[in-house]
Amino acid sequence: MNDVVLEVTGIGKRFGAVQALRDVSAQFRSGEIHAVLGENGAGKTTLMNVLAGFVVPDVGTVTYRGKPLPFGEPIAIRRMGLEMVHQHFMLVPAFSVEENVALAHIPGLLRPLRASRLAEPAVRLAKDMGWEIAPSARTNGLPVGAQQRVEILKALTGKGDVLILDEPTAVLGPDEIDDLFRVLRGLRDQGRAIVLIAHKLSEIMAIADRVTVLRRGEFVGTGVPTPVGNGGLDARTLALWMVGELPEARHDRSVAASEEGLALESILVRGDRGEAAVRDLTLAVRRGTVVGIGGVDGNGQVELAEAVVGVRPLVQGEVRWRGERARAGRPQVAYVPQDRRGDGLALRMSVLENLLVAGHRDSALKRGPFLRLGAAARWARGLVERFQIKIGSISDPVGGLSGGNQQKVIVARELSSEPELLVVVNPTRGLDLRATRYVHDQVRRARNAGASVLLISTDLDEIAELSDETYYLSRGEVRPAALGAAALVGGVP
Amino acid sequence: SAPAGKPSGEAPKEEPFKVALLTPGPVSDAGWSAMAYEGLMAIKDELGAEVNNQEAGGTQIKDAMRSYARQGYKLIFGHGFEYNEPGMEVGKDFPDTVFVSSSGGQTATNVGAFRFYLEQGFYLAGAMAGKMSKSGVVGMVGGDDVPSIRSTFKAFRAGVLAANPNAKVQEVFTGNGQDPAKAKQATEQMIAAGADFVIHQANAAAQGVFDACKEKGAYAFGANADQNANPSGAVIASAIIVGKPAFVALAKQVKEGTFKGGIALMGMDKGAIDFVVNPAMAAKVPADVTAYVDELRKQIVDGKLTVPKDEF
Amino acid sequence: MNEFATILSYAAPVALAAIGETVVERSGVIHIGIEGGMLAGAFFAMLTTYATGSPWLGIGVGVVVGVLLALLSAVFCVTLLADQVVIGTAVNLLAIGLTRTLFALRFGASGQLLSVEKIPSMNGLDAVTIGTVILAVLVHLALTRTGWGLATRSAGEFPEATEAAGYSVAKLRYGALAFGGALAGLGGAYLSLGIAGSFADNMTAGRGFVAIAMVTFGRWKPVWALLASLLIGWVDSLQFTFQTKGWDAPFQLFVALPYLVALLVLAGVGRGANAPAALATPFRRSR
Amino acid sequence: MKRVFVEGGLVLAGLLLILIATIATFGLPVGESLRMLAEGSLSGGGLARTLVKATPLILAGLGMVLAWRAGIYNIGGEGQYLVGALGGAWVARVGVAVPALVLKPLVLIAAFLAGGLFAALAGLLMVKRHVQVVISTILLNFVALQFFNWAVTGPLQEASRRLPQTDRVPDSLMLFRLDRQNDLHTGVFVALASVAVVTVFLFLTPTGFRLRLVGDNPRAARANRIEPGRLQLLAIGLSGGLCGLAAGIEYLGITGQLGYGFSQQIGFLAIPVALLGGLHPIGALFSGLYFGALFAGSENLARFSGFGTTIVFVIQGVAVIGFVGLRALIERRRTPEAAL
Ligand SMILES: Nc1ncnc2c1ncn2[C@@H]1O[C@H](COP(=O)(O)OP(=O)(O)OP(=O)(O)O)[C@@H](O)[C@H]1O
Ligand SMILES: Nc1ncnc2c1ncn2[C@@H]1O[C@H](COP(=O)(O)OP(=O)(O)OP(=O)(O)O)[C@@H](O)[C@H]1O
Ligand SMILES: [Mg+2]
Ligand SMILES: [Mg+2]
């Protein structure tokens, strides 16, 4: 037990101008859950991609049980026994769940294949874990959380003795995270090596046997996480390792105004497959308040958000703004969608253009029928600076940014417009500590400026921290929940 | 305006006589365009001319004409009515070059047309089919819907009805003269509907017509060229254009400077059109039919019988 | 029965190309060049049979030529990540030019009506038409019931996942293109050796494009692509019936009829197009 | 900037090599052939011929840029071109009494509208019935060709009703010819102006911006309350309109009448023009010129090389493949980590 399975030595990797990894060394052992921690863009994903064969490093070596790892050959590496859960799901949207699982476990190209049979172990495991998955459902109809579950199950049922999971918890509910961790502990105890990336320190503290921290591509250190006070690697120290210094959290609850704002009256909204995704939902978000809605992903969150911002038609009921119906009194709306790459960004377009998605309506950036490109560029640079988006130039394609920075582009553009109604769904998904704080500050700022804020999130801490009123969504219905994470968790059936 | 491409000061050295041919489709169509190409080759062989040819349609036509004229080509032949108007226009700039199109109504001193009276051959084919058809149903398979084809079909129909007023004449266009499969399918259906004689105007697609006739036991007529020897063995006779002498004669006129413009109608009387029975099948043609066709031919040559044709 | 055999026979070139293109598109490549592949297949098949007298050898050569042209496309579309529609267009130009030039070189500039040995048939059915039906079923099974099928389909939907699962998208797409090329070549060869027994310049006359439309019409399913081809083939055959009957309508309407019917059917079934998501998107492995 | 020139140089050098190889393969004298290519496309009259041939390619290419930028794979340029021509010819016919100066723009506008509306048919099928544009436009091409053939033998046929073509428009209606010795006409300026207009539209107006956004990610557009359907309809309509305009320009610029063979595959060639131009209007301008020169040159070569017409297609096919291949190679070298 506990022998070194993967030995990483002096790995460096540069992408164009970005030094993603610099002289990183680490040891991953069997029978150990090893967390890798770092801010957005620290190089975690890149390192994992090196291990899995998707990125070839410029320098350095990795040995697997003493043998050199064949860089850039994912097939060979998988055969050797490395399984990976990618940060961006490697699920074929048009495939059923079982086909996706089967794809990961094809016995041979020329052999006959029955997806349902190949998916059996995964389905069984899901049942054992108490996770709900529908084997024959099309993947693209599934909520993100369910997709994450499939992605994890795919890897867990592989034969690999090294398991790499890149941010598997980002969209899971608390119960699901517990389930996952239980399984991971089990696998660890069977002697597998597990490498886990997560941003939440609480999660790391809960599960990791050892932690390696990266900062801006550089190796900071490896240690054993311990609860606060023992002078060991406690949460505060870890945070310091990650960031260098810790920004102050601000709490300014200056809720005052309570004018009428958004009101939902018995709305019924259908999902993509025609199911009643939101049922008979009534809710009011007064101006200057944040209403937080928690709950496990896939209970109508996306449909609710889309109905409120007017992207999805109402089947019944009405959405009012300051007492007026629908279009008449349309407020200035800002919307941070849940699926940033799917709904939020045009990945091949530049940072500037993605910011302009909101800005092109702004009369200050137009002259007559034309856009003022100079003014737009200045405006965009201002946002990049204000929101600390890490980019080379505003004309870079947004698809090349790290997930966190992509999220910041959306947040920046949506909050730049002094919205009256703000709808945000999982706004800090995959963001690091610093960025999360910043986004939270911005949401508060909008609220303090008098906006009605509808916050939908699977992150209960986030809801607890920001919301003035809290609810949870369950199967398309909304129920009030007492403030506080614990109560919320308790309230979810 | 000065003629371009021939600087006036140059010594009149023994410049070769140059002839160009423009066709609406590839000259490898074993039909309409191929016939003109053969004529061009005859001009080359018999007059020692320097010749060139190009496929040119629509917006390319005037450009091609100018290019050739500028290079000192003396005769530019456009094989279709669509070369007539461009010839008129370009001809104004190149008075030393003659522009002749296959049919077309406008002429100038250096612009003319000559038109093959293929209808005469088709009329005789129709006459033979009308006399010989057992079912009283005969068919025509066309490729592209162009006036020259319509006109020959009209003549064929007239020939059939003259021989057998009760006959039925079917007509099908495939819309493509280079698709033998389509031509074959059309012919098969025609035969299924009773036709036992089929004539075509399908250029390179004609093999499909012949094969269908062979497979389904019908007789076919060749068109444009003498197709009697076609390996299908289904061709009983061909209505042909004897193009070479006509082309050579025209080129000679141009070379000798005697071309005056105008429209020449090239028919059986000038030996430009013929109707030839396949010698291998001659035995299948009853003597009275042969006599009837020969009589009609004589009337045509003598000018006593005018075969209907469209003006185009 | 015989009627059906006839329709099957005339529809077979399009159906074969469509079945092949179905696989190609399922792998994420749209190969406009199948028109050229069919034409080259038709030409070289005819040339081979003309020279050797063996239609089977001709069919074989047609298939090989189809594969070679498709591999040429693959080098550009898959390896060099060039735009698939452009390369397909260029391959078509090339095929027209090559066949035309070689045809003229071999048979004289003014062409010939060629008649070559055809493949034998019984009651209007022959090995290729029967093979077409069997092939449609086999390809359907291969796509849905084998590892190759799953991997190939994933390459057309979400190539990143294919690579993550450990398969080379490039290899899968090369394979699919080669297969599609083989069927296009076969379709072309059958056109010249099974139906016409002849060759004429550009004799495929847009059948490759129709095949591409049939792939969509068939919802990217090989058996449905075959049925779609048969339906359109049947409508196409009606035009001659109508014309023969002497219906007083412009014949162009009849010629356009199959395309109009295809459009109407597509408009009717409309919703829920399941085009491969990564269709026509070059995939580059990042490393 | 420097890189652009280096790359441009590389591409040109590579193209030359490819061309030479092709010519040599077919046993033609290389030096002489190159001279003919250059003479046909560049020197004196050659340049005019290049411009004439480039004009419709640029216009239709711009159309493709618009559609493809909006994420619509319009391959129906050929049909839109034919229907556009018919629209123009129809107006020229019914408007005989209208003064030429007024009628001229009306004909062009009609060509634009006819092409645009025909394309919008495919757009409607996409938006309303989810029929893929790739397929509907392929099918509509066949339909348009038959429609065209019918129209010139039916309702639009010349007054004497003999030939399958329209009457020739009076000379006064033709676009002004810059040079009597060739077909160079003022349509060139329409093409250039269109490049400018499309560039401004795509990159400097909110609508153009939204159109590109829809092309890149329609879901993101929807999430931002930009309805993709209408913009896509607009894009394909404009796209077909430009193809129609290309036909109108050819009609009034060169032929003055419509008949079989009016289209020289302009609508198909527009796709490589747009794609080689990097789906950018300025790029389409240059690739249109490149193709124009290629056609002008290779036609000249075919005419006077004694080899005949057929080699044109081979040279064009090889040149396109070569061009795309070189571009792809360079692209590959430049961005070892390609963006999406
Ligand atoms: N393929 C690539 N091309 C260019 N740059 C890249 C590429 N992959 C990673 N990078 C850059 O490398 C740096 C490290 O990225 P990486 O994805 O490893 O970060 P991370 O630690 O996973 O961050 P996050 O927490 O946001 O997921 C980033 O700045 C990123 O921009
Ligand atoms: N196509 C690309 N071109 C350039 N860089 C890329 C590309 N794809 C990814 N990257 C880089 O790879 C890195 C990893 O991206 P990824 O989306 O995994 O985000 P991440 O860094 O893990 O983000 P986060 O933790 O903030 O969600 C990013 O930092 C990004 O800069
Ligand atoms: Mg990452
Ligand atoms: Mg991340």
Side-chain angles (χ1 to χ4, degrees):
Chain A
M1 279 271 154
N2 285 23
D3 43 337
V4 174
V5 184
L6 277 175
E7 169 96 48
V8 178
T9 325
I11 290 289
K13 176 68 184 178
R14 166 180 284 279
F15 291 112
V18 179
Q19 186 74 41
L21 292 173
R22 187 197 313 265
D23 194 21
V24 172
S25 301
Q27 295 179 331
F28 301 108
R29 300 181 187 149
S30 58
E32 162 185 280
I33 296 178
H34 193 133
V36 176
L37 206 53
E39 281 194 286
N40 293 134
K44 308 177 295 290
T45 298
T46 306
L47 181 59
M48 298 307 123
N49 278 335
V50 167
L51 299 182
F54 296 106
V55 167
V56 179
D58 304 327
V59 293
T61 57
V62 176
T63 57
Y64 172 80
R65 298 193 187 284
K67 282 175 299 196
L69 196 74
F71 289 140
E73 294 187 32
I75 309 177
I77 293 177
R78 260 196 82 201
R79 292 224 177 91
M80 292 170 71
L82 268 94
E83 291 284 346
M84 175 152 174
V85 170
H86 294 264
Q87 180 174 11
H88 296 300
F89 305 148
M90 291 301 165
L91 296 173
V92 179
F95 279 10
S96 67
V97 166
E98 53 194 18
E99 278 178 316
N100 265 307
V101 177
L103 180 63
H105 304 309
I106 292 178
L109 287 187
L110 295 179
R111 302 257 293 279
L113 165 152
R114 286 208 72 102
S116 51
R117 189 156 310 146
L118 285 173
E120 261 167 29
V123 175
R124 223 177 305 122
L125 178 61
K127 203 167 280 166
D128 292 347
M129 292 171 71
W131 282 6
E132 221 178 284
I133 61 165
S136 55
R138 253 170 86 113
T139 312
N140 58 357
L142 298 179
V144 188
Q147 294 188 26
Q148 180 74 74
R149 278 176 259 153
V150 176
E151 185 75 4
I152 293 169
L153 288 168
K154 243 170 63 178
L156 293 186
T157 48
K159 294 179 197 45
D161 59 355
V162 179
L163 206 52
I164 298 170
L165 302 104
D166 193 352
E167 298 195 28
T169 58
V171 293
L172 295 183
D175 290 349
E176 291 173 313
I177 292 176
D178 287 347
D179 296 332
L180 174 65
F181 284 179
R182 195 159 26 87
V183 174
L184 290 184
R185 285 191 195 98
L187 291 171
R188 170 192 62 193
D189 297 342
Q190 289 167 18
R192 294 214 220 179
I194 291 167
V195 184
L196 175 73
I197 297 179
H199 280 296
K200 294 238 193 74
L201 292 179
S202 58
E203 291 172 4
I204 303 292
M205 302 312 284
I207 189 160
D209 300 315
R210 288 197 304 153
V211 186
T212 289
V213 177
L214 298 179
R215 191 197 305 154
R216 294 176 194 207
E218 295 193 50
F219 174 76
V220 180
T222 299
V224 178
T226 52
V228 192
N230 295 352
L233 204 47
D234 61 15
R236 199 180 159 73
T237 319
L238 270 179
L240 274 170
W241 278 22
M242 279 165 62
V243 203
E245 100 271 23
L246 209 55
E248 281 303 305
R250 284 188 297 136
H251 267 259
D252 50 346
R253 293 215 163 201
S254 55
V255 192
S258 252
E259 277 177 61
E260 195 173 1
L262 177 76
L264 309 179
E265 195 73 54
S266 310
I267 63 168
L268 172 66
V269 185
R270 295 208 181 280
D272 288 334
R273 283 155 300 157
E275 78 284 9
V278 174
R279 282 181 282 191
D280 194 26
L281 185 146
T282 299
L283 188 71
V285 187
R286 305 185 75 77
R287 305 202 62 182
T289 62
V290 177
V291 169
I293 297 185
V296 176
D297 210 0
N299 279 289
Q301 283 95 333
V302 173
E303 291 83 357
L304 172 60
E306 289 185 351
V308 169
V309 300
V311 173
R312 196 175 277 272
L314 292 183
V315 181
Q316 276 171 30
E318 56 184 50
V319 175
R320 287 197 305 259
W321 177 249
R322 307 182 73 172
E324 293 194 55
R325 272 190 66 165
R327 309 215 165 256
R330 265 228 162 282
Q332 175 81 29
V333 183
Y335 175 39
V336 178
Q338 133 138 332
D339 181 353
R340 69 170 86 105
R341 290 162 77 90
D343 290 328
L345 297 168
L347 294 174
R348 276 165 301 218
M349 293 176 88
S350 66
V351 172
L352 167 64
E353 289 171 319
N354 273 283
L355 291 170
L356 269 182
V357 166
H360 77 280
R361 292 193 172 92
D362 186 345
S363 57
L365 300 182
K366 284 191 282 194
R367 182 182 295 124
F370 302 114
L371 293 168
R372 296 171 57 201
L373 284 191
R378 256 173 277 127
W379 167 80
R381 284 199 200 92
L383 286 182
V384 166
E385 200 163 305
R386 250 200 313 134
F387 285 79
Q388 299 167 19
I389 308 173
K390 267 182 252 160
I391 54 168
S393 134
I394 54 169
S395 46
D396 291 346
V398 95
L401 304 185
S402 88
N405 280 307
Q406 290 177 355
Q407 183 73 2
K408 287 189 200 169
V409 168
I410 299 177
V411 171
R413 126 186 129 201
E414 296 300 326
L415 291 179
S416 69
S417 61
E418 310 281 321
E420 298 171 283
L421 171 60
L422 176 59
V423 178
V424 287
V425 187
N426 287 336
T428 57
R429 174 185 170 194
L431 289 194
D432 58 37
L433 226 62
R434 198 203 305 251
T436 300
R437 292 238 169 112
Y438 190 72
V439 169
H440 287 177
D441 284 349
Q442 295 303 316
V443 171
R444 278 191 212 98
R445 207 176 59 83
R447 178 203 55 199
N448 294 345
S452 294
V453 181
L454 182 62
L455 166 69
I456 300 175
S457 178
T458 46
D459 183 341
L460 300 178
D461 296 335
E462 179 165 74
I463 290 193
E465 171 156 350
L466 290 177
S467 309
D468 302 303
E469 278 176 60
T470 53
Y471 298 86
Y472 68 88
L473 254 183
S474 172
R475 298 187 191 284
E477 290 173 28
V478 72
R479 311 251 168 77
L483 206 68
L488 262 176
V489 176
V492 176
Chain B
S1 62
K6 198 186 174 199
S8 41
E10 209 173 277
K13 219 176 47 177
E14 193 58 37
E15 213 181 89
F17 177 54
K18 297 204 263 188
V19 180
L21 166 70
L22 300 176
T23 53
V27 295
S28 59
D29 69 356
W32 175 249
S33 296
M35 183 267 290
Y37 181 77
E38 309 263 303
L40 184 72
M41 289 300 113
I43 292 174
K44 177 182 163 194
D45 295 341
E46 294 180 24
L47 301 182
E50 192 180 315
V51 299
N52 200 285
N53 70 290
Q54 187 163 38
E55 193 183 328
T59 50
Q60 295 176 331
I61 296 176
K62 286 190 287 181
D63 179 33
M65 287 179 164
R66 281 197 203 96
S67 280
Y68 282 121
R70 217 173 272 138
Q71 293 290 324
Y73 278 71
K74 285 288 167 279
L75 169 60
I76 297 171
F77 194 91
H79 196 40
F81 64 87
E82 62 267 48
Y83 300 90
N84 185 233
E85 292 225 27
M88 287 298 290
E89 185 184 334
V90 177
K92 286 179 207 149
D93 292 337
F94 298 94
D96 289 352
T97 299
V98 169
F99 298 82
V100 178
S101 57
S102 299
S103 72
Q106 305 187 52
T107 68
T109 54
N110 65 330
V111 183
F114 73 16
R115 181 195 194 293
F116 288 105
Y117 201 170
L118 182 59
E119 289 83 348
Q120 294 175 329
F122 267 62
Y123 185 87
L124 295 184
M128 177 182 268
K131 278 283 181 224
M132 283 181 70
S133 171
K134 300 232 162 32
S135 61
V137 182
V138 299
M140 311 180 286
V141 177
D144 297 304
D145 177 22
V146 292
S148 57
I149 293 184
R150 288 263 177 212
S151 184
T152 52
F153 281 2
K154 186 180 189 175
F156 181 81
R157 185 185 295 270
V160 172
L161 295 178
N164 176 5
N166 296 320
K168 261 185 64 189
V169 186
Q170 300 172 341
E171 174 186 292
V172 167
F173 281 92
T174 64
N176 189 334
Q178 300 185 91
D179 188 340
K182 268 249 162 83
K184 186 177 178 196
Q185 194 177 13
T187 309
E188 280 180 0
Q189 294 204 13
M190 208 163 235
I191 295 170
D196 54 359
F197 281 80
V198 180
I199 197 163
H200 79 88
Q201 267 280 35
N203 287 343
Q207 192 63 43
V209 177
F210 297 155
D211 278 2
C213 286
K214 172 180 133 190
E215 285 169 23
K216 306 286 176 193
Y219 289 110
F221 290 106
N224 290 310
D226 184 345
Q227 296 171 325
N228 289 341
N230 187 274
S232 66
V235 181
I236 189 164
S238 294
I240 63 180
I241 297 176
V242 187
K244 287 183 189 174
F247 278 93
V248 173
L250 171 76
K252 210 175 225 158
Q253 277 184 12
V254 174
K255 190 177 182 187
E256 291 162 1
T258 55
F259 182 82
K260 293 281 179 289
I263 302 170
L265 187 62
M266 313 293 286
M268 283 188 159
D269 52 339
K270 296 195 176 115
I273 301 298
D274 203 355
F275 178 70
V276 191
V277 176
N278 185 353
M281 305 257 261
K284 304 230 163 101
V285 186
D288 62 321
V289 176
T290 310
Y292 176 68
V293 171
D294 284 346
E295 170 58 24
L296 289 177
R297 181 204 306 270
K298 200 161 159 305
Q299 289 181 13
I300 291 172
V301 174
D302 294 346
K304 292 197 190 108
L305 171 66
T306 306
V307 172
K309 67 174 171 43
D310 290 336
E311 291 313 317
F312 58 87
Chain C
M1 184 58 211
N2 208 299
E3 184 111 344
F4 176 76
T6 306
I7 288 176
L8 178 60
S9 171
Y10 281 106
V14 169
L16 283 167
I19 294 168
E21 180 76 4
T22 298
V23 173
V24 176
E25 294 196 12
R26 277 298 185 102
S27 82
V29 179
I30 183 159
H31 190 214
I32 306 274
I34 54 172
E35 172 76 13
M38 289 180 82
L39 183 59
F43 175 73
F44 285 100
M46 177 281 294
L47 197 63
T48 305
T49 307
Y50 189 82
T52 66
S54 160
W56 295 114
L57 198 59
I59 294 262
V61 169
V63 169
V64 170
V65 168
V67 171
L68 290 179
L69 263 191
L71 289 180
L72 175 69
S73 298
V75 169
F76 286 93
C77 300
V78 181
T79 305
L80 293 177
L81 312 174
D83 189 278
Q84 297 168 3
V85 176
V86 176
I87 290 299
T89 310
V91 165
N92 287 337
L93 276 175
L94 194 63
I96 289 188
L98 266 181
T99 54
R100 201 179 255 200
T101 306
L102 295 175
F103 186 52
L105 280 178
R106 178 66 186 76
F107 298 101
S110 54
Q112 277 184 25
L113 291 185
L114 291 171
S115 180
V116 295
E117 186 73 17
K118 288 168 55 175
I119 59 172
S121 73
M122 270 180 62
N123 293 329
L125 286 172
D126 57 43
V128 175
T129 49
I130 297 168
T132 303
V133 176
I134 296 173
L135 207 60
V137 176
L138 286 184
V139 171
H140 174 84
L141 290 177
L143 275 176
T144 53
R145 302 284 167 82
T146 68
W148 169 81
L150 193 67
T152 298
R153 278 155 53 211
S154 74
E157 294 287 351
F158 189 39
E160 288 81 1
T162 318
E163 296 263 329
Y167 294 94
S168 157
V169 170
K171 280 186 195 156
L172 290 166
R173 289 186 172 176
Y174 261 86
L177 271 163
F179 182 74
L183 288 201
L186 176 60
Y190 183 70
L191 188 66
S192 64
L193 298 182
I195 300 176
S198 178
F199 178 85
D201 247 348
N202 201 15
M203 75 182 286
T204 44
R207 284 178 175 83
F209 291 111
V210 175
I212 293 171
M214 291 308 105
V215 174
T216 306
F217 195 170
R219 296 268 167 252
W220 291 271
K221 294 190 167 74
V223 173
W224 286 102
L226 169 65
L227 293 176
S229 306
L230 286 175
L231 172 68
I232 291 305
W234 176 70
V235 174
D236 197 24
S237 74
L238 287 184
Q239 61 161 305
F240 301 124
T241 313
F242 294 155
Q243 286 194 56
T244 310
K245 293 221 163 85
W247 286 16
D248 194 19
F251 85 94
Q252 288 93 351
L253 175 66
F254 299 130
V255 178
L257 199 59
Y259 310 110
L260 285 170
V261 169
L263 269 174
L264 284 178
V265 174
L266 284 177
V269 293
R271 313 227 143 233
N274 53 342
L279 189 58
T281 333
F283 174 74
R284 144 149 246 182
R285 174 183 285 185
S286 91
R287 34 204 351 241
Chain D
M1 206 64 225
K2 199 172 132 202
R3 203 175 59 192
V4 172
F5 284 114
V6 171
E7 266 166 28
L10 276 176
V11 166
L12 283 183
L15 269 183
L16 207 63
L17 277 178
I18 289 169
L19 223 52
I20 290 173
T22 315
I23 291 166
T25 308
F26 281 87
L28 296 176
V30 171
E32 178 67 3
S33 303
L34 288 180
R35 194 185 62 73
M36 283 178 180
L37 278 174
E39 179 190 274
S41 58
L42 297 174
S43 68
L47 195 58
R49 304 180 60 239
T50 293
L51 290 176
V52 170
K53 289 182 187 301
T55 297
L57 290 173
I58 293 169
L59 281 167
L62 285 174
M64 295 303 144
V65 168
L66 270 178
W68 288 52
R69 273 278 177 158
I72 295 166
Y73 297 111
N74 178 11
I75 32 189
E78 189 69 1
Q80 292 142 24
Y81 181 91
L82 288 171
V83 173
L86 291 178
W90 180 70
V91 167
R93 187 187 178 98
V94 300
V96 273
V98 179
L101 213 59
V102 180
L103 187 55
K104 209 180 289 196
L106 287 182
V107 169
L108 295 182
I109 290 169
F112 183 92
L113 288 178
L117 288 175
F118 187 65
L121 203 61
L124 278 177
L125 281 172
M126 169 186 65
V127 174
K128 298 283 179 216
R129 306 297 315 161
H130 297 258
V131 180
Q132 279 194 317
V133 171
V134 179
I135 306 310
S136 61
T137 51
I138 283 182
L139 295 170
L140 284 169
N141 279 339
F142 288 103
V143 175
L145 179 63
Q146 297 307 322
F147 182 61
F148 182 91
N149 288 350
W150 168 73
V152 297
T153 52
L156 292 182
Q157 195 178 13
E158 56 178 9
S160 61
R161 301 197 87 53
R162 294 203 317 238
L163 304 179
Q165 61 188 21
T166 65
D167 275 318
R168 229 180 120 80
V169 300
D171 276 349
S172 58
L173 194 57
M174 297 290 284
L175 297 179
F176 177 70
R177 285 242 301 268
L178 302 172
D179 179 357
R180 223 186 125 60
Q181 293 304 329
N182 53 52
D183 289 320
L184 188 56
H185 52 79
T186 45
V188 169
F189 300 115
V190 177
L192 289 177
S194 301
V195 171
V197 169
V198 172
T199 308
V200 167
F201 171 71
L202 272 180
F203 299 102
L204 286 178
T205 68
T207 309
F209 170 74
R210 287 181 201 184
L211 197 141
R212 289 186 293 127
L213 177 64
V214 165
D216 199 274
N217 186 352
R219 279 177 58 196
R222 293 208 68 205
N224 285 282
R225 282 131 287 154
I226 294 167
E227 193 44 56
R230 279 168 47 198
L231 283 162
Q232 287 171 326
L233 214 51
L234 174 74
I236 193 169
L238 290 176
S239 172
L242 281 163
C243 290
L245 181 61
I249 294 279
E250 293 288 272
Y251 173 54
L252 291 192
I254 301 182
T255 61
Q257 65 185 164
L258 306 182
Y260 293 164
F262 172 74
S263 172
Q264 299 293 316
Q265 307 265 302
I266 300 294
F268 288 121
L269 293 167
I271 297 166
V273 167
L275 290 166
L276 290 188
L279 288 184
H280 194 287
I282 313 269
L285 170 65
F286 285 107
S287 71
L289 287 171
Y290 165 73
F291 273 94
L294 180 66
F295 293 156
S298 55
E299 276 171 17
N300 194 53
L301 174 66
R303 232 164 257 157
F304 303 114
S305 67
F307 197 81
T309 312
T310 52
I311 197 175
V312 179
F313 294 92
V314 179
I315 288 183
Q316 287 169 359
V318 171
V320 172
I321 293 190
F323 191 97
V324 179
L326 284 170
R327 246 188 74 134
L329 264 179
I330 286 172
E331 201 72 10
R332 205 175 143 88
R333 287 180 49 107
R334 184 170 70 203
T335 52
E337 312 299 327
L340 289 162

